[in-house]
Structures are given as C-alpha cells and as structure tokens.
Amino acid sequence: MAEVIRSQCWECSTFCGTLVTRDAAGRLRICGNPDHPASKGAFCIKGAAGALALVDAPGRVLHPLVREGPRGAGRWRRASWDEALARAADGLAAVQARYGPLAIAGAVSSAFFSRGVQVVQLLRALGSPNVLINQDLCQGCRSVSDMVTGLDLGGGGEEIERADLVVLVGSNLSASNPSLWLQLKAARRRGAQLVVVDPRRTPAVDLGAEHLAIRPGTDRALALGLLHVVVREALYDRMFVAQYCHGFAELAAHVTPYTPERMAAATGLAPAQIVMLARCYATTPAATLVLGHGLDAQVGGVQTVRAFHILLALTGHLDVPGGNRRAKRLPGFRSYWDFIYAPEYRLDRATEEQILGGREFPLWCGPDGWARACHNPTAIQAMLTGEPYPVRALYVSGVNIAVTYPDTPRTLAALRGLDCLIVATDTMTPVAHLADVVLPKTVALEEEQVQWQPKGPCISYTAAVLPPRGEARNDTDIAVALLDALRARGVVRHELLPWRSHTEFLRVQLGDSGLTLEELRTRGYVPIPYQYRDYARFRTPTGKVELYSTRLAQHGLPPLPAWDEADVPPAPPPEYPLLLLTGTRSIVYHHSRFRDHAWARRKEPEPQIHVHPETAAALGLHDGAWVEGRLPDRPETFAARLRYDERVPPGVASTGMGWWLTTPDGAPDLALNINNCTSYGPPWDPVIGCPATRGLPCQLRPLPAPVAGTPASAWR
Ligand SMILES: Nc1nc2c(c(=O)[nH]1)N[C@H]1C(S)=C(S)[C@@H](COP(=O)(O)OP(=O)(O)OC[C@H]3O[C@@H](n4cnc5c(=O)[nH]c(N)nc54)[C@H](O)[C@@H]3O)O[C@H]1N2
Ligand SMILES: Nc1nc2c(c(=O)[nH]1)N[C@H]1C(S)=C(S)[C@@H](COP(=O)(O)OP(=O)(O)OC[C@H]3O[C@@H](n4cnc5c(=O)[nH]c(N)nc54)[C@H](O)[C@@H]3O)O[C@H]1N2
Ligand code: SF4
Ligand SMILES: [Mo]
C-alpha cells in the first residue's frame, strides 16, 4: 500500500505544499498539494527531482570531516562526531580567549528557516551579535522600507487571485515562483489587467500585459512620477490618508517637481504611460503591487521601494481584498522574527550596538535594525584587516558565501585567512572546501520543520520523510551538541539556546498558539484565520503609516524618497558597453544549488548570458558562442554561453548567478561564477549598505571553447 504524506517543499522560498507518496518498495514520489492554502498545487522540477537528488547528491557529506594538511588542499580525515565537535569547540574557544566573543561570527542564508534561529542563537550564546545573512542582497530594501513605513506587508502577491489589476515590478514569477505564476495566469484568464515594469520582456508580458520597459535602476523616478499624478489629480484615498497616514502635506509638496514628463525622460518611458498607470492603479480598488527582487540590491533601493510603498498606502490599497495584504500571524506562534527580536533571546544592548556595521547602517544591523545581522562587507573586511575589530572565526551553515556573495576572490581570501572555519553542510561546497571541520547536515527531506507561511496564511509542516543519510544531523542538534562542547570549555556566556533537541525547538515555536506538533503532523498545514483592514496598530513612532518617515529623519536620512537628474545611471563607458543584470532566475537552479546534478544539467547544461541580437551582432558576438565577461577595475573574468534574446533590451546583458563545478580532483572550479567579477564594496545603499548587483557596466569578448573552467573541460 502506498502511503501519502502531506508536507512542504523547502527547495526555494515559494514553499509549495507537497504530497509525498511512498510506495510499497519504499520509493518516494513528490508532487504539489492542490489543497495547500499558499501554493494551491503549484510545483516545479526542483521540488520533484531536485529534493530527491540532494539525498544522494554528488559530494554529499555523510560523516564529520577534519582537515588534514593545508587549508583548501582537500585532504580530509573522517572523524567521529565527538572528535569533530571537540576540534570545532577548541578552535572557537581559542579565538574567544585571544580576541573576545565579537571575533566569532556566523553565516546563514534564508534565515527564516529554522537553521537561521539556531545559528543566531548559537552565536548569541557565545556573546557575539555578528551573523552574516544574505537578505541585504535579497528583500532587504523591500523589508526596511516596509518597516519604516509601517505597512507590515505579508509575503507579497497573495492577493493576485482577487485583484482586477496586477502591477508586477522587477519580478519574474514564471521562473521564481510557480505558485504566484499560476495565480497570475488565472487572474488574466478572468480578465484582470496586468502591467509589467521590467527592462526585460519577461514571460508575464506574453500574458497580454502592458509592458513598461524601464531603464534599469530608474524605478524610483517612475514611482515618484506616479505619486505626482495621484496627488495632482487628487486620486488618493482621502479617508485612509486622513485617518491612518502621517505626512501627507509634506509628501504632496515634495512630489510637485516630479512631473510625468521629467520622470519619463529618466526612465525611458513615455509620459502617457506614467499618467495611465497612475490613474489606472489609483482608481482600481482591487489593485495589487508585486514588488520583486529587481528592486533589491540597488544603491538607493530602500528609497525606491519607499516610493512604491507610499503609493500603495496613499491610494488605499493596504490590506483590502485584491490589494496588498498585511501579515497575518497566529498569536502565540514564534516565527524566526520572534526569536530574533524577543528580549529573552537577545544580548544586552551595549553588545548588540557593537555589531559590525551597526553604526553606519543602524536600520539594518543595530539593536533596532530590521535584520539585526552584520553588514557583510564590513564583516569580510574585519576578517581580512582586523578593522574595525578582528573577526577570526566563522561558523557557516546553509549558505555558500564563496559563490553567492559578490566579490568571490575577496570572500575566499577572507575565509582562507581565518583561524577557525567550521562549516555545517549537506554537500562539499566551495566554502566547506576551506573549512577546518565539516559537519554533515541533513537535507530537507530528512528534516521535520514547522513554519509560519504569510502567503497562506498558514502554519505549515514539513515531514522528515527519510532518515538522515550517514551521520547527518539537523542544525538544531548540531548547535546543541556544539554548545555542549563549548560549555565544557567554559566559553558559553549566555544560555540563549535553551532547547535540547530539534523536536523541542519545534514545540517552542508552536508556543501558546494552541497548535500541537501532532495535529500538524496529521494535517500538514493549519490555516490562520484573518480579517482585512487590520489598521489597529502601525508600528512607527507616530503610530500611523508614515508617508513621511520620522525614523529615516531621526537617522539623518531623507524622510521622503527623492530623484535627481544625477541619479540617472550614466551611460556605460565605451570599453564596457553593456549594462549587466545578474541573478536572472532559472527554474532549474536555486542559486548555487543543483549545479552538479545530472537532472539539472540535462535541462540547462551551462551558464548563459542573454543579449539582444542587434547589440550582440554589433559587438561581433555570435549566438551559441562562449564569451568571457569583464567588469571595470576587475582582473577576474566569468565565462558563459551567449544567447541572442529579443526579450532583453538593446545595450543590456542578462545572466544568472550561482554557477560552480567540482573538478575531477574534488576542488571547486569557480570560473563560471559571475560573482568573480562583482563588487561588495561601496557605493552602498545608504540605508542598508547593499551594493548593486544589476546595471553594472560590462564587456564581453568571444572565447574559444572548450577552455579551462567551462563545462566541456571541467565536468565529470
Ligand atoms: N527557480 C528559482 N526560483 C527562485 C530562486 C532561484 O534561484 N531559482 N531564488 C529565490 C529567491 S532567493 C529570490 S530573492 C526570488 C526572486 O524572485 P523575484 O522577486 O520574482 O525576482 P527575479 O526572478 O529575480 O526577477 C527580477 C526581475 O527584475 C528585473 N530587473 C532587473 N533590473 C531591474 C530594474 O532596475 N528595475 C525593474 N523594474 N526590474 C529589474 C529582471 O529583468 C527580472 O525579470 O526568487 C526565488 N525563486
Ligand atoms: N550577483 C548576484 N549575487 C546574488 C544574487 C543576485 O541576484 N546576483 N542574489 C542573491 C540572493 S537573492 C540570494 S537569496 C543569495 C542566495 O545565496 P545562498 O543562500 O548561498 O544560496 P543557495 O545556493 O540556495 O544555498 C547555499 C547553501 O545552503 C544550503 N541549503 C540551502 N537550502 C537548504 C535546505 O533546505 N536545507 C539545508 N540543510 N541546507 C540548505 C546548502 O548547503 C547550499 O549549498 O544569493 C545572492 N547573490
Ligand atoms: S517552486 Fe519548486 S523548489 Fe520552490 S518550493 Fe515549489 S516545488 Fe519546491
Ligand atoms: Mo533571495
């Protein structure tokens, strides 16, 4: 008899509900769960094939490993858990004794998974607030704008199915989110209007959308033009503004100069397109704004998102059916944020104020910041130079910072120079390759998880459908065991990771919510009841939605988003004639994951760079040829196969991110990695300190294939 288990996929942030079928022979098959309130049956190949392939992936780490020989030489000795933990604890204890607790940092990604809590609390237990997360490159601009404006939005896009107008800005749902993509197509079928703001003609445009092919990096000018029209034509929601918004008079005066004509010149759009969008959005009650990753990782990104967030509130689209829903929580349930923000899980304020980057980016890093994580470039600098103070040890779990952070060579140099590098991982990544101790981690199918899903909204459950392979353990159990070893060495400063097992942690998450783990195990998810127009509380200093941000003003930052002709991105220099967009998603890959999986390579065998045929031909570049890319002031290069693509505007090149391979001798090969060439240095966004990963001047030249580092030569 086949057994069907209700679960949730963890291979990307869409978190589709799944049905996992185990047949009589024990074989697993995974598909989407049509009843799941968030994903409604959506699914993709990463969840069906990728999740299973990870279990016995090439390079899967099955046992603890300790380094023998020089760092990065790839000489490992299999060790017992006790020996590996002892070696890790000795290394961390030595750094703490010599340099103090702040010299130990952690790194984790997709912090909202349970592993984020374990890494942050482990570091806090050691007395360090220094954790690197990658939300600066991902959603950071959107989240900090949301925080200072006081909107408290949910996941985004959850009202598409009720909307009469969807405005998609910098989001490529066809690749990034199968669930919202299905809902978008359904919305079009029932006649909802769709506007796509994207330099590229994305597949969403093919659904019959109005396409605003904006010049990269100029969305703030567009949003300010929209605000100008809404104010000038009095299209705002008078009742909502009067009752719930702070700073309308300042805003109205401020947007006067941003005429559609002037903003059209900045964005490359027509004035009529700006006027039409403003009127249409403001006068459609069920209109939803979907703001995507295209607005993140831009210098000025927070203020750009602010302009859209102000528009959303001003026009009364907050928390109404078909608009933009506020987050719906289950009282008593503890999400990642409840651990990160709750006083009982925190360090004292004086310690938190010393977080790396806290002084420069208080709304990101400091004790009152959104992320309460370090400014990553400052942390990397601290590893390399000891400034502003030394960081000598790093505990990494669930992030591949050598590939996914900008400026790979600098990250690698920082990692190589550490006194102690401990990496918990399921596969031998380029970061793990440099570790002193590698701790084997479970993959998603081996982990039981409970999670708040703002998109449902629901509390959803992920079943451990397989026992851990080898000696793999989950992040909680690793953190508990490592802390025990550290406690024995007298270096635990605060008992801030109080649970003793992963199951106990799951029960702490469920808290006083009234839900039990047993109920979730049976049901798979539990919907959260909610109401619209939840305007009882806006968590801002004025208690209102802040069109004019008093928090930004307090920190000496512009309280209203502005645009200046100097903000128009300069034309690229003649030697670097293309504007490069990085991070364009592919349905097959998730950042640096699955790159060495046979199922994925069959679908998309190599990194691609897409250029408009006319632009490519003018540069003498042929469709299908291998090219080498270079950015100004960088000796490093990246390699990719060129594709003619009319979806990309002339003068622009669009590529993904996350490529790396393993060479036959086991060493990582990073020649295909775009982050070889990107910079994590300034200019930074003034609010959160992220660099731009898009709109970068770039040069491409033909490369004869096969060459070292390209799949033809490097792949096993
Ligand atoms: N298959 C797959 N799915 C994923 C991921 C993955 O790696 N693979 N990653 C997940 C993660 S971590 C994230 S953050 C999400 C991101 O998912 P989304 O938020 O949907 O964003 P992207 O798919 O990155 O699409 C960004 C779009 O912005 C456009 N763009 C670039 N520059 C600009 C600009 O200046 N202005 C505007 N308006 N648009 C611009 C690009 O052309 C692109 O179409 O995807 C998630 N889903
Ligand atoms: N140039 C450029 N750089 C970018 C971006 C860009 O657009 N351009 N995008 C940025 C964005 S939005 C993001 S989110 C980051 C992503 O950066 P990362 O988080 O580093 O991306 P991944 O490769 O998905 O995950 C890295 C590692 O996390 C572990 N891991 C991931 N998921 C799981 C899991 O479910 N269980 C367990 N046990 N381990 C897991 C695996 O060990 C994997 O190797 O990259 C950023 N970097
Ligand atoms: S989109 Fe694919 S990888 Fe992401 S959660 Fe859904 S099935 Fe998993
Ligand atoms: Mo992301």
Side-chain angles (χ1 to χ4, degrees):
M1 264 293 286
E3 176 196 13
V4 180
I5 305 154
R6 290 170 191 217
S7 190
Q8 180 194 256
C9 179
W10 269 53
E11 302 310 334
C12 86
S13 42
T14 305
F15 300 122
C16 298
T18 60
L19 295 173
V20 184
T21 310
R22 193 199 315 273
D23 69 14
R27 281 180 304 247
L28 297 182
R29 198 172 59 84
I30 311 176
C31 63
N33 179 359
D35 297 332
H36 195 272
S39 61
K40 302 180 172 75
F43 210 55
C44 88
I45 189 165
K46 297 186 295 306
L52 284 166
L54 279 172
V55 177
D56 296 306
R60 174 92 202 251
V61 179
L62 294 173
H63 305 282
L65 301 172
V66 294
R67 174 163 70 81
E68 304 252 279
R71 176 166 279 162
R75 294 217 310 273
W76 303 102
R77 180 168 58 76
R78 179 174 161 180
S80 68
W81 265 103
D82 283 345
E83 185 196 346
L85 289 168
R87 185 143 156 195
D90 285 341
L92 295 171
V95 167
Q96 204 204 54
R98 174 141 185 226
Y99 299 98
L102 299 181
I104 307 176
V108 67
S109 79
S110 296
F112 323 112
F113 299 173
S114 66
R115 63 174 184 261
V117 179
Q118 313 312 327
V119 172
V120 172
Q121 295 312 122
L122 173 68
L123 269 291
R124 285 176 173 176
L126 295 177
S128 173
N130 286 323
V131 173
L132 295 84
I133 63 174
N134 47 251
Q135 268 54 50
D136 59 334
L137 304 169
C138 168
Q139 165 200 344
C141 294
R142 285 174 283 167
S143 301
V144 170
S145 167
D146 182 315
M147 174 180 81
V148 300
T149 312
L151 301 180
D152 192 21
L153 295 174
E158 56 273 74
E159 288 294 316
I160 288 177
E161 58 183 357
R162 289 174 203 86
D164 296 322
L165 168 66
V166 181
V167 184
L168 208 59
V169 189
S171 175
N172 182 20
L173 296 179
S174 66
S176 68
N177 191 316
S179 159
L180 292 183
W181 177 237
L182 277 187
Q183 290 168 44
L184 190 68
K185 287 196 285 190
R188 281 295 294 151
R189 277 197 300 276
R190 64 173 168 72
Q193 282 182 282
L194 174 61
V195 177
V196 174
V197 182
D198 199 302
R200 296 185 311 127
R201 186 160 56 76
T202 60
V205 177
D206 302 344
L207 301 177
E210 175 79 22
H211 182 202
L212 271 54
I214 193 162
R215 178 179 295 154
T218 63
D219 298 79
R220 191 162 67 256
L222 167 64
L224 287 167
L226 299 172
L227 285 169
H228 173 98
V229 177
V230 167
V231 169
R232 186 178 68 191
E233 302 187 3
L235 300 174
Y236 49 90
D237 183 330
R238 282 163 202 275
M239 195 284 291
F240 187 82
V241 169
Q243 241 178 310
Y244 301 115
C245 295
H246 169 77
F248 176 73
E250 290 89 337
L251 175 79
H254 176 80
V255 298
T256 311
Y258 302 120
T259 60
E261 292 71 25
R262 196 178 144 211
M263 297 300 97
T267 54
L269 302 170
Q273 286 178 301
I274 299 179
V275 174
M276 281 306 295
L277 178 57
R279 288 180 184 159
C280 191
Y281 176 71
T283 59
T284 307
T288 193
L289 260 184
V290 179
L291 305 178
H293 182 243
L295 299 179
D296 287 318
Q298 305 238 19
V299 179
V302 174
Q303 294 287 7
T304 297
V305 181
R306 272 273 296 156
F308 283 105
H309 281 163
I310 291 170
L311 177 73
L312 187 167
L314 189 67
T315 50
H317 288 108
L318 184 65
D319 215 26
V320 296
N324 283 72
R325 213 191 281 166
R326 301 194 83 196
K328 308 298 177 195
R329 298 186 177 82
L330 181 66
F333 182 87
R334 292 191 180 91
S335 73
Y336 169 79
W337 297 108
D338 299 305
F339 292 101
I340 300 312
Y341 291 171
E344 65 267 33
Y345 294 106
R346 301 264 301 272
L347 290 167
D348 61 277
R349 196 172 172 92
T351 306
E352 287 193 356
E353 277 172 352
Q354 296 182 65
I355 193 168
L356 290 158
R359 208 158 290 148
E360 297 80 0
F361 305 105
L363 290 169
W364 181 252
C365 309
D368 305 314
W370 178 80
R372 312 219 170 157
C374 347
H375 179 236
N376 297 350
T378 302
I380 290 166
Q381 174 192 296
M383 294 176 207
L384 283 167
T385 67
E387 295 295 330
Y389 55 75
V391 168
R392 303 301 313 149
L394 187 67
Y395 175 76
V396 183
S397 177
V399 64
N400 196 1
I401 66 176
V403 180
T404 55
Y405 283 5
D407 203 343
T408 294
R410 192 170 160 87
T411 311
L412 290 176
L415 296 179
R416 283 198 193 99
L418 288 171
D419 294 345
C420 172
L421 176 59
I422 316 296
V423 178
T425 186
D426 55 331
T427 53
M428 192 48 89
T429 62
V431 180
H433 191 73
L434 296 176
D436 303 313
V437 180
V438 178
L439 302 173
K441 240 174 61 157
T442 43
V443 297
L445 294 180
E446 300 162 346
E447 289 175 4
E448 186 176 43
Q449 300 283 355
V450 168
Q451 199 190 13
W452 171 51
Q453 256 281 26
K455 278 207 172 74
C458 62
I459 301 299
S460 60
Y461 173 76
T462 300
V465 293
L466 289 172
R469 283 281 193 272
E471 294 181 82
R473 295 185 186 177
N474 62 54
D475 276 289
T476 315
D477 294 336
I478 296 176
V480 168
L482 184 54
L483 271 176
D484 285 346
L486 289 159
R487 199 174 289 108
R489 286 158 180 78
V491 292
V492 174
R493 303 252 169 139
H494 315 277
E495 291 299 341
L496 290 172
L497 194 143
W499 41 86
R500 293 293 306 162
S501 71
H502 188 59
T503 311
E504 190 185 335
F505 170 71
L506 299 180
R507 294 194 202 277
V508 173
Q509 276 189 289
L510 290 167
D512 303 326
S513 65
L515 277 186
T516 63
L517 196 50
E518 288 65 30
E519 184 182 358
L520 277 166
R521 282 175 179 154
T522 320
R523 295 177 62 184
Y525 55 83
V526 175
I528 300 174
Y530 68 94
Q531 289 182 326
Y532 291 102
R533 298 188 173 80
D534 162 22
Y535 303 145
R537 219 162 76 95
F538 295 104
R539 278 180 289 188
T540 56
T542 57
K544 294 193 166 190
V545 172
E546 295 201 351
L547 308 177
Y548 177 100
S549 168
T550 57
R551 268 188 95 176
L552 287 173
Q554 262 168 23
H555 288 284
L557 293 158
L560 287 161
W563 181 268
D564 196 276
E565 265 56 40
D567 292 328
V568 176
E575 338 64 282
Y576 296 93
L578 294 161
L579 277 186
L580 181 67
L581 309 178
T582 75
T584 308
R585 268 57 174 157
S586 144
I587 196 69
V588 181
Y589 294 103
H590 191 265
H591 306 296
S592 73
R593 298 161 62 213
F594 310 122
R595 301 286 168 181
D596 51 1
H597 287 201
W599 68 268
R601 278 198 226 154
R602 273 197 296 276
K603 298 267 171 201
E604 200 181 295
E606 59 225 350
Q608 298 186 352
I609 187 155
H610 291 231
V611 181
H612 192 278
E614 283 165 21
T615 303
L619 294 170
L621 302 170
H622 303 292
D623 186 49
W626 276 91
V627 294
E628 181 181 77
R630 207 179 271 276
L631 273 60
D633 308 321
R634 302 287 307 204
E636 298 82 9
T637 58
F638 67 94
R641 195 186 283 281
L642 187 101
R643 289 287 172 212
Y644 283 5
D645 188 349
E646 293 192 343
R647 291 183 180 279
V648 178
V652 170
S654 163
T655 191
M657 56 83 50
W659 273 94
W660 65 282
L661 299 163
T662 308
T663 54
D665 66 6
D669 186 331
L670 292 163
L672 305 174
N673 167 23
I674 180 67
N675 280 327
N676 276 334
C677 305
T678 53
S679 162
Y680 222 165
W684 289 319
D685 179 83
V687 188
I688 71 164
C690 67
T693 60
R694 276 176 245 96
L696 310 171
C698 165
Q699 171 197 93
L700 294 178
R701 63 181 184 83
L703 199 64
V707 291
T710 59
S713 70
W715 286 5
R716 281 166 293 169

